[in-house]
Amino acid sequence: MDPFRDEPTVKTEPTSRPGLASDLQSRIVAGLVLGAVTFALAWAGLIPFGLLVAVVALIIGWEWSKVTRAGAGTDLAFWVQSLAVGAACVLALSKLPVLGFAVLMIGTILVGLIEWRGRPLVSAAGVLYSGWPALALLWLRGDEPWGFTAILFLVAAVAATDVAAFFVGRTLGGPKLAPSMSPNKTWSGFIGGISAAAGAGALCAHFTGGNVVTLALTGLALGIIAQGGDLMESALKRSFGVKDASNLIPGHGGFMDRVDGLVAAAIAAALLASLINPMHPAAALVLGG
């Protein structure tokens, strides 16, 4: 989750500073609550965690529809996308992730055909954006006995990136990272964020007995990818003239706004694990081989 996302560049009077402090406080509280719920359900097992992942994936699909199709929300393409993502999650929970992947690809094609007069590629991409990370998370969590640890490592790396990038960037400032995508992000924040993600990897190795260097580099890579996902989601919203995907989370915006880094990092982690050991992806991720 990302309770510390940079605010868009807006000219404000000094009297607005208390409001900004209050907004940051609400972000921290909401972020902690979301983090606690995620931790508890991931620890409880694959099925409880799977229900959480499926619900969030469906919400992200709804938000994607609102952003990319002028507030369409629950149109035909959304329902087809929801059916594909929901079915993929069920298949992943049934230990059939390959079939889940196939269902997502079919859903992607169908949504593209439904929206062929509008924005077929962008609409179709929404199926993958919400479905691929859900499939990745459930695939990793389902690999016992390391599934929970893999999810914890992944979320910790992304959270460390977000928090460190926010505070280091605000403290040190400096050159902007990608002003056309996200005006307030800085190179100092980027470096601080990926350094913290590397630290999360090294800490994971300490507890799992994995290779410290390998896991630190894995955390570093996940931090880079998470920040890339953050920037791409910001660019998408900016291209459609939208500030937040929705207002479902107090002080945060929408789920799509909060888990953009995790979306990208989850897909990358699953791809990496599949290259190392597709039979035991969670073990491959947290043991470094």
Side-chain angles (χ1 to χ4, degrees), residues 65-213:
S65 299
K66 288 177 78 281
V67 170
T68 62
R69 295 198 293 277
T74 55
D75 55 7
L76 177 59
F78 162 76
W79 289 113
V80 172
Q81 172 173 322
S82 298
L83 181 62
V85 172
C89 288
V90 171
L91 288 168
L93 290 172
S94 303
K95 304 298 181 68
L96 297 170
V98 175
L99 288 180
F101 181 83
V103 168
L104 287 179
M105 298 311 296
I106 293 171
T108 300
I109 294 171
L110 290 177
V111 169
L113 292 174
I114 292 170
E115 292 295 318
W116 70 275
R117 289 185 175 180
R119 297 177 180 269
L121 295 180
V122 174
S123 294
V127 183
L128 304 180
Y129 187 84
S130 59
W132 274 357
L135 207 58
L137 290 169
L138 296 181
W139 185 48
L140 290 171
R141 181 62 186 87
D143 178 27
E144 297 292 1
W146 293 105
F148 172 67
T149 305
I151 296 301
L152 195 60
F153 167 45
L154 178 58
V155 173
V158 174
T161 302
D162 293 335
V163 174
F166 176 85
F167 284 111
V168 173
R170 288 295 176 92
T171 301
L172 299 182
K176 301 300 182 181
L177 177 62
S180 63
M181 294 183 178
S182 186
N184 292 329
K185 294 189 183 300
T186 62
W187 278 102
S188 64
F190 174 79
I191 294 171
I194 64 175
S195 298
L203 187 63
C204 176
H206 173 73
F207 287 105
T208 64
N211 185 286
V212 175
V213 174

Side-chain angles (χ1 to χ4, degrees), residues 22-39:
S22 176
D23 182 59
L24 177 59
Q25 183 179 18
S26 68
R27 287 168 181 258
I28 293 173
V29 171
L32 290 174
V33 170
L34 291 172
V37 170
T38 302
F39 177 89

